[in-house]
Amino acid sequence: LKLALIGQSIFGQEVYNKLRKEGHKVVGVFTVPDKNGQADPLALAAEKDGTPVFKFPRWRAKGKPIQEVVAAYKSVGAELNVLPFCTQFIPMDVIDCPKHGSIIYHPSILPRHRGASAINWTLIQGDKKAGFTIFWADDGLDTGPILLQRECDVGQNDTVDDLYNRFLFPEGIKAMVEAVHLIADGKAPRIPQPKEGATYEGIQKKENAEISWDQPAAALHNWIRGHDKVPGAWATIDGQVVTFYGSSLLDASVPPGQELAIKGASRPGLVTKNGLVVFGNDGKMVLVRNLQFEDGKMIPASKYFSADEKTALELTEEEKKMAEDIRAIWKGILSNVAVIEDSTDFFKSGASSMHVVRMLEEIKQKYSGLQLQNEDVYMATKFADFIQMAVRKFRGEDKEEELVIDYVSKNVNNMTVNMPYQCFINGQFINADDGKTYDTINPADGSIIASVSSASLADVDKAVAAAKEAFENGEWGRMNARERGRLMYRLADLMEEHQEELATIESIDSGAVYTLALKTHVGMSVQTFRYFAGWCDKIQGATIPINQARPNHNLTFTKKEPIGVCAIVIPWNYPLMMLAWKSAACLAAGNTLVLKPAQVTPLTSLKFAELSAKAGFPKGVINILPGSGGLVGQHLSEHPDVRKVGFTGSTPTGKQIMKSAATNLKKVSLELGGKSPLIIFSDCELDRAVKMGMGAVYFNKGENCIAAGRLFVEESIHDEFVRKVVEEIKKMKIGDPLDRSTDHGPQNHKAHLEKLLQYCETGVKEGATLVYGGRQVRRPGFFMEPTVFTDVEDHMYIAQEESFGPVMVISKFKNGDVDGVLRRANTTEYGLASGVFTKDISKALYISEKLEAGTVFINTYNKTDVAAPFGGFKQSGFGKDLGEEALHEYLRTKAITVEY
């Protein structure tokens, strides 16, 4: 089609570029005159291509079309007018002139929010859905027939910029091109707008943006964010107009702060370390991050009572060079300004929001370590102020304020542990959307540790949206690999710094013996993050020689790219370590994540969320959702915006996840159940085999995915082996997991203890010999005696199914029957781990080749390391945790071929 584009801005420029790329001929561009000597982006693109450009200040005078303007328009011979973003009134002579008429982009779901401030009103009125409409222009105000519409969810703290950048801008461009295609193909509908639900709101101006305080907090928040950044919601404080920016609902206890009287508000605000807290008439709170005064100066709201200019920094030679480089960038943008003085104001000199993006991107090209946001420019509009702010950022000063966290605190293990208990979504701890909670229980005594937020489907959607935004548009997606590694190292350091607190929380929440929690649960988690932090800048593709068709030359290479939003679902046996095994590889690869901890052990995951925020991870990169696996885990596994699921848990649940992941063919890795065989030959070092065999079964109370589910002991040493095991069990101390001398703590939760007792009853009924244990320990809590069964035959339930507890299942095998015991060891649908004890290295290696398991231990057991891949075969799952192979679970490979 021959098109006339009527409009302006980067949006108009992108629509223009896409339409030309799709083969349409733009016969004329009609846009606004240059401002301060600078052409509109749409005009710049068209002029560069040689497309005729017309810059009319207006199309009408005294309500009538200007004939010279209309004649100039008609001279291009357009078949369709495309109005992507237009602030001028276009006469109907022009609208109706082309063969196909005119189509207009409008940023609301018409007929709702007709008028010029549609996005603002979408937020002001608290709409749950936003979107845009492309419609056929008529003589009404946004009343023409609908051609197509698209919609998106509105997040609780979304601003106009959030909606525009995430959805209205990128999807709007695609939709404008799609609309033109539909018209060209003769398939474009004309759907009359319904009368029901139609609204019209006027342009929001500064004078009518004053905040009315007699409203609920949600309405205040909607009013503030609906006016952010233009025109700005305001109130009178200390006799002057102060504009509010960056609001969010604050779902926590009232934080400490200094009172601030606000005209019209029945209750003073509070200036806190995180910003200004204001109150709705329902007693709920809104947090405001930034304030702007009448002179244009913007400050963090937390600095209201110390808002004087800081003492000017003395710059180093390197910083002076950086300042001059930035001065040159300002000069390139503000070409109408002869000299960039310290007093030069970026916006008063003619710059607009699109120039903010350009300036920050140019600075980033020169100084990749300087992380600046759009908001930084609005808070320091004068050159001297901007340089001071940039230098402070460059030095690592002016970091984000500490999180607002409502803790459950307990004095335990000779320390005070502070435990977050809310969902962690987009960098904030918040209650579940529906307010539901559940109790997490201390298995040592059955007492309630905390009431924890139980995430809802709405929370899953919010968390996935936050992770997607962080990946696609946030700082994380732009961050270089080495900086990503630096954040991970910092997080590992913080975990190590808090290792005793983490181990204590792990112990009271999961029943892990404190010394084991400190060394393994927490210690290996720290090692895992450090290991994968080192991988961040070493992820590489390859160059590939291909067959070239002469005389052409080709270069083919591969890139390893992050997948996107990953869902991670972890079990309750090693809450923090399982988080680390999956999350560290996921983050090192550059993905964002939504993690669901086991419902019964959420607390170390939430503490980890706190530490990740303190380490400086951008908002949305890490999200933690405690709650039901059937609800949260299920929704994550079928969510269309999740591109990868990493799961550790039971085989039946793993199968269900695979089915759900098929909805959008997610990448999946599964570490599932096991029934790991341990073969002990008579030529072993017996005392070592006894010690290691007990560790293989009773380590972490038997709640161990690779636990030796079945021991095969050669006949000649069988009785002695059993006797020595029972002797050692009798020496084990069962008790308080926080007692440093305890060997064996409580099972994780009551339902699991009951399942284990039933497992033992089944073994006895089937004819196995219960040599020791099999009973609950008579004391408060969920303690079980270490248990030993012998005379276990291959057909028995306890020979085939995992106990996931402290139950040793022993079967004899005939002396010298290597191949026979191998057949029995492999007669299982599981294949997670296995082991063999023998002094004969040839026999050991033969066994290791034949065992169908992802890990084989020889003369040791439970020896995992962050550098060694870990994962199972058969119904124990697929994919690897740990080692370099784990990275590939969270990467995709792109092949690129260039002809030259």
Side-chain angles (χ1 to χ4, degrees):
L1 288 178
K2 292 194 290 184
L3 308 174
L5 250 74
I6 305 174
Q8 63 207 76
S9 80
I10 293 176
F11 186 83
Q13 179 192 58
E14 288 296 312
V15 171
Y16 166 83
N17 288 334
K18 295 284 186 186
L19 287 171
R20 290 187 76 250
K21 188 176 180 181
E22 294 291 322
H24 297 286
K25 182 175 178 59
V26 180
V27 293
V29 164
F30 299 84
T31 188
V32 293
D34 296 354
K35 184 178 180 182
N36 296 319
Q38 295 191 357
D40 183 82
L42 174 57
L44 286 173
E47 287 168 347
K48 181 179 177 182
D49 295 332
T51 301
V53 176
F54 303 84
K55 301 178 181 180
F56 301 134
R58 65 188 64 83
W59 292 71
R60 301 187 304 177
K62 296 182 180 179
K64 295 183 178 180
I66 301 172
Q67 292 307 314
E68 296 84 351
V69 172
V70 174
Y73 160 77
K74 290 183 176 179
S75 70
V76 302
E79 298 172 318
L80 173 69
N81 292 332
V82 178
L83 286 72
F85 176 74
C86 182
T87 58
Q88 297 176 311
F89 285 101
I90 310 301
M92 289 306 297
D93 303 43
V94 173
I95 293 294
D96 293 336
C97 181
K99 171 184 174 183
H100 296 292
S102 302
I103 59 170
I104 301 177
Y105 170 92
H106 184 78
S108 80
I109 306 169
L110 291 175
R112 189 163 172 78
H113 304 311
R114 292 170 176 160
S117 296
I119 314 176
N120 305 74
W121 284 103
T122 298
L123 294 175
I124 292 168
Q125 296 196 354
D127 293 1
K128 298 298 183 184
K129 296 283 185 181
F132 58 80
T133 305
I134 297 171
F135 68 97
W136 299 93
D138 64 5
D139 58 357
L141 183 61
D142 304 328
T143 56
I146 295 168
L147 196 159
L148 62 79
Q149 287 183 322
R150 299 284 185 271
E151 66 177 37
C152 68
D153 293 332
V154 178
Q156 179 176 273
N157 294 317
D158 277 345
T159 64
V160 172
D161 283 351
D162 292 333
L163 290 176
Y164 186 72
N165 294 328
R166 182 176 76 237
F167 185 80
L168 299 176
F169 179 86
E171 296 304 318
I173 292 163
K174 294 177 192 175
M176 286 298 283
V177 176
E178 181 185 345
V180 173
H181 283 324
L182 288 171
I183 294 168
D185 294 340
K187 298 178 180 178
R190 292 175 179 263
I191 303 167
Q193 290 191 32
K195 294 181 180 179
E196 185 179 351
T199 64
Y200 170 80
E201 297 92 7
I203 297 174
Q204 279 303 93
K205 297 181 179 179
K206 194 72 176 182
E207 55 265 28
N208 57 16
E210 183 177 5
I211 300 168
S212 173
W213 292 103
D214 191 18
Q215 302 181 79
L220 294 177
H221 169 55
N222 289 336
W223 184 263
I224 295 168
R225 66 174 176 152
H227 290 83
D228 188 344
K229 296 277 187 300
V230 177
W234 58 273
T236 302
I237 302 175
D238 290 335
Q240 68 167 315
V241 170
V242 178
T243 307
F244 290 36
Y245 295 107
S247 74
S248 58
L249 289 171
L250 182 59
D251 192 0
S253 56
V254 178
Q258 188 172 349
E259 288 192 352
L260 177 65
I262 303 172
K263 184 179 178 181
S266 61
R267 182 174 176 179
L270 288 175
V271 176
T272 74
K273 61 184 179 181
N274 293 305
L276 173 63
V277 174
V278 294
F279 298 87
N281 60 13
D282 55 358
K284 295 183 179 180
M285 296 175 287
V286 176
L287 179 68
V288 178
R289 291 196 304 274
N290 301 311
L291 301 173
Q292 187 176 41
F293 300 107
E294 291 175 348
D295 63 0
K297 180 177 177 57
M298 188 180 288
I299 63 165
S302 60
K303 307 292 185 186
Y304 183 86
F305 289 111
S306 56
D308 296 336
E309 288 286 340
K310 296 179 181 177
T311 304
L313 298 172
E314 186 173 337
L315 306 190
T316 65
E317 290 303 315
E318 180 187 12
E319 291 163 351
K320 288 177 182 177
K321 181 181 182 304
M322 182 176 74
E324 290 310 308
D325 288 341
I326 294 174
R327 192 187 300 272
I329 291 169
W330 278 46
K331 183 68 179 77
I333 295 170
L334 304 175
S335 55
N336 56 307
V337 178
V339 179
I340 303 298
E341 306 281 0
D342 284 354
S343 59
T344 300
D345 187 289
F346 192 68
F347 296 107
K348 290 180 180 177
S349 299
S352 62
S353 58
M354 66 183 179
H355 297 116
V356 171
V357 177
R358 173 183 162 183
M359 187 244 286
L360 295 184
E361 289 300 316
E362 287 193 48
I363 292 173
K364 190 185 301 178
Q365 275 188 324
K366 283 184 173 291
Y367 298 94
S368 59
L370 180 56
Q371 298 292 329
L372 298 175
Q373 307 298 323
N374 291 8
E375 194 173 83
D376 295 326
V377 185
Y378 292 104
M379 293 187 67
T381 60
K382 293 179 180 178
F383 182 76
D385 295 339
F386 185 84
I387 292 299
Q388 292 283 306
M389 176 275 300
V391 168
R392 285 193 167 89
K393 294 263 186 182
F394 191 66
R395 293 178 180 180
E397 302 174 13
D398 288 358
K399 295 187 188 302
E400 268 195 27
E401 295 286 354
E402 205 172 314
L403 270 177
V404 176
I405 308 174
D406 197 5
Y407 292 116
V408 168
S409 298
K410 287 192 177 295
N411 294 314
V412 62
N413 201 23
N414 298 317
M415 68 180 78
T416 300
V417 293
N418 296 311
M419 297 171 284
Y421 60 87
Q422 298 165 296
C423 301
F424 185 71
I425 301 173
N426 202 26
Q428 292 184 310
F429 283 103
I430 59 173
N431 289 334
D433 187 74
D434 58 10
K436 288 184 179 178
T437 63
Y438 67 94
D439 293 336
T440 185
I441 304 298
N442 183 341
D445 59 12
S447 63
I448 296 171
I449 305 170
S451 289
V452 178
S453 293
S454 185
S456 66
L457 296 182
D459 295 310
V460 175
D461 291 338
K462 284 189 283 188
V464 171
K468 185 180 181 185
E469 174 68 13
F471 181 77
E472 294 180 352
N473 302 312
E475 178 187 350
W476 182 254
R478 301 188 298 268
M479 190 180 292
N480 66 59
R482 200 158 293 169
E483 175 66 13
R484 196 161 66 236
R486 187 178 68 80
L487 282 179
M488 292 183 66
Y489 277 122
R490 187 186 299 163
L491 176 55
D493 290 345
L494 281 171
M495 291 169 71
E496 187 171 58
E497 185 181 319
H498 289 262
Q499 62 182 337
E500 293 181 347
E501 184 180 19
L502 286 166
T504 301
I505 297 170
E506 191 90 333
S507 186
I508 65 174
D509 202 26
S510 76
V513 171
Y514 175 76
T515 50
L516 177 66
L518 192 63
K519 178 183 181 296
T520 301
H521 290 232
V522 179
M524 194 173 188
S525 300
V526 174
Q527 292 174 25
T528 303
F529 269 92
R530 285 192 176 135
Y531 173 80
F532 283 108
W535 267 110
C536 288
D537 60 355
K538 300 171 187 68
I539 299 170
Q540 299 177 355
T543 55
I544 303 170
I546 66 169
N547 189 28
Q548 303 186 52
R550 296 178 181 177
N552 298 323
H553 294 277
N554 298 101
L555 169 65
T556 295
F557 60 95
T558 59
K559 287 179 64 181
K560 296 288 187 181
E561 298 180 339
I563 296 170
V565 179
C566 299
I568 294 174
V569 183
I570 57 173
W572 43 257
N573 57 329
Y574 294 103
L576 186 64
M577 193 171 80
M578 292 296 99
L579 175 153
W581 280 23
K582 290 186 176 350
S583 299
C586 174
L587 294 168
N591 301 288
T592 57
L593 64 88
V594 180
L595 182 139
K596 195 205 86 65
Q599 186 168 3
V600 292
T601 53
L603 296 179
T604 43
S605 294
L606 293 170
K607 189 69 180 180
F608 167 84
E610 175 193 343
L611 298 180
S612 73
K614 290 180 176 178
F617 276 78
K619 292 180 179 180
V621 175
I622 294 170
N623 304 273
I624 309 290
L625 298 178
S628 161
L631 184 75
V632 177
Q634 177 68 24
H635 194 40
L636 282 171
S637 63
E638 61 193 13
H639 199 291
D641 289 332
V642 172
R643 293 296 170 188
K644 153 81 186 190
V645 178
F647 171 74
T648 296
S650 72
T651 297
T653 303
K655 291 178 179 179
Q656 180 59 44
I657 283 175
M658 283 191 71
K659 289 179 184 178
S660 301
T663 53
N664 66 337
L665 295 180
K666 294 174 178 65
K667 191 173 184 178
V668 177
S669 56
L670 303 171
E671 194 250 282
L672 306 176
K675 187 67 175 174
S676 301
L678 174 57
I679 304 171
I680 301 175
F681 288 96
S682 60
D683 62 350
C684 70
E685 187 179 326
L686 186 58
D687 287 341
R688 179 177 177 83
V690 169
K691 180 181 177 182
M692 290 287 181
M694 290 182 67
V697 176
Y698 302 126
F699 188 80
N700 199 47
K701 310 128 16 174
E703 295 168 354
N704 187 18
C705 49
I706 58 171
R710 192 175 181 194
L711 275 66
F712 295 93
V713 182
E714 199 162 8
E715 193 170 25
S716 62
I717 62 167
H718 174 274
D719 292 350
E720 186 179 4
F721 179 87
V722 173
R723 179 179 60 79
K724 285 178 175 285
V725 165
V726 172
E727 285 177 358
E728 292 302 315
I729 288 175
K730 290 177 180 178
K731 298 175 187 176
M732 292 171 65
K733 180 179 178 180
I734 302 172
D736 181 359
L738 294 174
D739 185 333
R740 305 311 192 258
S741 64
T742 295
D743 298 302
H744 189 79
Q747 305 310 134
N748 186 276
H749 52 282
K750 185 178 181 181
H752 182 55
L753 172 63
E754 293 170 348
K755 181 181 174 184
L756 287 171
L757 296 173
Q758 182 62 47
Y759 184 91
C760 292
E761 287 179 20
T762 301
V764 171
K765 287 177 182 176
E766 289 190 328
T769 301
L770 178 61
V771 176
Y772 193 89
R775 298 182 299 271
Q776 182 175 356
V777 178
R778 292 186 176 180
R779 58 170 293 156
F782 312 137
F783 292 85
M784 180 176 178
E785 295 174 338
T787 299
V788 179
F789 277 102
T790 60
D791 302 319
V792 178
E793 298 178 14
D794 295 353
H795 68 274
M796 292 179 178
Y797 177 83
I798 64 172
Q800 297 174 359
E801 295 299 327
E802 180 181 30
S803 71
F804 212 63
V807 182
M808 184 178 284
V809 175
I810 303 175
S811 299
K812 290 181 190 176
F813 69 93
K814 291 181 180 179
N815 294 333
D817 189 9
V818 174
D819 289 325
V821 75
L822 266 172
R823 280 193 300 274
R824 295 174 71 189
N826 285 330
T827 305
T828 173
E829 278 300 302
Y830 300 108
L832 188 56
S834 59
V836 56
F837 279 83
T838 175
K839 292 177 182 176
D840 186 340
I841 192 63
S842 297
K843 181 163 57 178
L845 291 173
Y846 174 76
I847 295 281
S848 71
E849 288 180 9
K850 298 295 183 181
L851 283 169
E852 297 171 1
T855 297
V856 181
F857 298 108
I858 298 176
N859 294 328
T860 188
Y861 209 89
N862 286 327
K863 181 60 180 175
T864 54
D865 187 87
V866 293
F870 179 91
F873 299 162
K874 300 189 287 188
Q875 290 200 45
S876 288
F878 50 83
K880 298 295 182 184
D881 291 325
L882 304 179
E884 181 181 359
E885 285 198 40
L887 283 170
H888 300 301
E889 302 295 333
Y890 296 93
L891 292 165
R892 63 186 184 188
T893 302
K894 178 181 287 182
I896 300 170
T897 297
V898 183
E899 187 169 286
Y900 60 96

